[in-house]
Amino acid sequence: MRMTSVAAAALAVAISAFPAAHQASAQPAADTMGAIKERGYLLCGVAGNNVGFSLPDSQGVMKGIDSDTCRAVATAILGDANKVRFVNTTATNRFTALQSGEVDMLVRSTTWTLGREAALGLEFAAVNFYDGTGFAVKTASGVKSVKELDGASVCVQPGSTTELNLTDYFRSNNMKFTPVVIESIEEIRSAFISGRCDAFTTDASSLASFRFSQGANAGEYTILPEIISKEPLGSMVRKGDWKFFDIVKWTHYAQLTAEELGMNSKNVESFVDNNNPEVQRFMGKSGDLGKMLGVPADWAVQVVKQVGNYAEVWDRNITPMGVQRGLNNLWNKGGLQYPPPMR
C-alpha cells in the first residue's frame, strides 16, 4: 500500500523521536541510598508533634512509631539506628519536602490513596498503621454518636483526607456541619478545648494521642465509636528509586517477620544456630537477601536488635495510649499486617 506524504512524515518523526524517548527512559534513577551513605545519615520527614507517632521527649529524643520506622531504615542502610535526622513537616508542606529532596522519606501519619500515588511522583512503600477517621467531642456534651452531630461545628485540617472524609460522610447522611478549618494540629486541639468547635475530627490514632496527652483531664473528652473511613498510614518515597523503595518496604516486613518467628531485640542473636531455613535466611547465614538489597547480610538482625520487631515498636509507642492493635495485628492473629516471604 502506498504511503501518503503526511503519513510518511509522521512516521519519520516517530522514528526520529524513538531513540530520544528510549534514552530518556533509560536514564539512571536517583540513588537515595548512595546519598544517604555518603551523607552518613537518613533525613526523615515526620510530624514531630504527635504523641505515639513522633514527638520529642524531655531530652529532645524523637519518640513514636513513625520515628522508629525511620530508625529501622537507617539501621538497615547504615547499621546504626541513631544515624537519622528528623525533619518536622506539616500537612501542607510534607509532599513538597519529599519531592524536593529535603527529606529522603516521609513517615507522617500519611494516608495511602490513589490520587497521592498517581499525581505526586511519590510511592507508598509500606503501611505501618491501619487507621480510620474518627471524631472527638467533649464528654459534657452528652454526644454518643457521629449521627448526633448534625448542625455541629467541626475542627479539621485543610488539605487532608480527613477533610474530604468529613464532607463525604455528612453529605451522604444528609447532615449539615460548619467546618472550622485550621492548618496547625496544635491550634486545632486548642480551638477544640476552648470551645471554638463542637467536635474535632482526624485519624482515630491522632485523637487517641490527643486524649492521652491531656493526662488527668483525659476524661473530659470522648472519642466517638464510629470510624468513617479507611486510612492506611505509611512511609513514602520518591518514585523511580526502586532500590530505596525496596529497603523501606522490606525493613517493615523484616520487623513483622521477626514477630512471626518469635524474634525480638533481646533474643534475636540467639537464633544464629537455629536450623530453620527461614531463620537462617533472616539471620543472613544463607541466601543473598542483603546482597540483593545492597545492604549487609545481617541487616534484618540489626533492625530487630536496635529498634525491635513490630510488636515491640507498637507496645513502646502505641499501647500506653490505650489503643488496641486490632487491624494492626499480624495476619495470623486476625489483623492486616502480613509480611511476604523473605526468600
Side-chain angles (χ1 to χ4, degrees):
M1 184 170 68
R2 190 172 181 180
M3 185 178 295
T4 67
S5 58
V6 174
L11 179 60
V13 170
I15 291 173
S16 64
F18 177 76
H22 179 72
Q23 184 178 15
S25 66
Q27 291 297 314
D31 183 12
T32 304
M33 279 182 60
I36 292 169
K37 290 178 180 178
E38 182 176 354
R39 187 192 306 131
Y41 55 87
L42 170 75
L43 288 167
C44 200
V46 296
N49 59 6
N50 201 5
V51 175
F53 288 81
S54 59
L55 182 74
D57 64 11
S58 59
Q59 305 301 313
V61 178
M62 194 71 74
K63 300 289 188 178
I65 191 171
D66 286 350
S67 50
D68 277 350
T69 296
C70 303
R71 289 188 177 93
V73 174
T75 304
I77 297 173
L78 300 171
D80 189 342
N82 295 314
K83 290 186 176 180
V84 53
R85 293 188 184 178
F86 298 101
V87 178
N88 292 348
T89 61
T90 67
T92 301
N93 71 15
R94 54 184 164 173
F95 301 125
T96 303
L98 182 56
Q99 291 166 332
S100 66
E102 181 182 351
V103 297
D104 300 313
M105 60 184 291
L106 180 70
V107 196
R108 193 195 178 282
S109 297
T110 299
T111 302
W112 185 0
T113 69
L114 184 155
R116 287 172 173 176
E117 197 162 79
L120 298 178
L122 307 175
E123 192 88 9
F124 282 84
V127 176
N128 71 343
F129 198 107
Y130 288 96
D131 207 348
T133 298
F135 292 80
V137 297
K138 289 186 176 178
T139 304
S141 70
V143 172
K144 303 295 183 183
S145 168
V146 179
K147 295 293 180 63
E148 298 174 39
L149 292 177
D150 190 13
S153 57
V154 184
C155 282
V156 63
Q157 276 188 297
S160 63
T161 55
T162 302
E163 187 178 27
L164 178 61
N165 295 334
L166 172 65
T167 302
D168 286 351
Y169 182 84
F170 273 72
R171 179 180 297 154
S172 63
N173 284 280
N174 296 314
M175 297 165 57
K176 295 182 179 179
F177 73 98
T178 300
V180 180
V181 181
I182 303 174
E183 167 64 31
S184 165
I185 191 67
E186 292 95 340
E187 290 182 21
I188 284 184
R189 292 168 178 170
S190 297
F192 174 55
I193 291 171
S194 68
R196 283 182 58 192
C197 49
D198 302 312
F200 164 29
T201 183
T202 187
D203 295 335
S205 60
S206 184
L207 295 176
S209 173
F210 158 74
R211 190 174 185 276
F212 178 75
S213 70
Q214 299 307 301
N217 296 323
E220 296 180 12
Y221 306 97
T222 296
I223 299 175
L224 299 179
E226 294 95 338
I227 299 295
I228 67 168
S229 73
K230 295 180 293 184
E231 304 295 324
L233 311 179
S235 48
M236 296 186 78
V237 299
R238 289 179 288 275
K239 276 187 176 177
D241 191 347
W242 302 118
K243 182 187 295 185
F244 185 57
F245 171 83
D246 285 344
I247 280 290
V248 175
K249 176 172 62 175
W250 282 100
T251 296
H252 176 67
Y253 289 151
Q255 291 179 289
L256 294 177
T257 299
E259 183 181 355
E260 278 188 347
L261 295 173
M263 298 175 177
N264 57 48
S265 59
K266 302 294 191 298
N267 70 12
V268 63
E269 291 186 327
S270 69
F271 281 76
V272 68
D273 295 321
N274 190 300
N275 291 324
N276 183 325
E278 184 177 9
V279 172
Q280 286 294 296
R281 288 190 293 269
F282 189 97
M283 302 298 290
K285 297 300 180 181
S286 67
D288 294 313
L289 301 185
K291 183 178 181 180
M292 293 176 191
L293 291 171
V295 294
D298 68 341
W299 68 280
V301 175
Q302 291 303 318
V303 167
V304 175
K305 182 179 178 181
Q306 297 187 40
V307 183
N309 65 25
Y310 184 80
E312 289 180 283
V313 172
W314 182 278
D315 289 340
R316 181 165 60 239
N317 298 299
I318 306 301
T319 297
M321 298 193 301
V323 177
Q324 302 299 311
R325 275 187 70 171
L327 293 177
N328 290 288
N329 267 308
L330 291 177
W331 64 279
N332 53 10
K333 294 183 179 179
L336 297 178
Q337 294 290 0
Y338 186 109
M342 293 182 64
R343 60 171 180 260

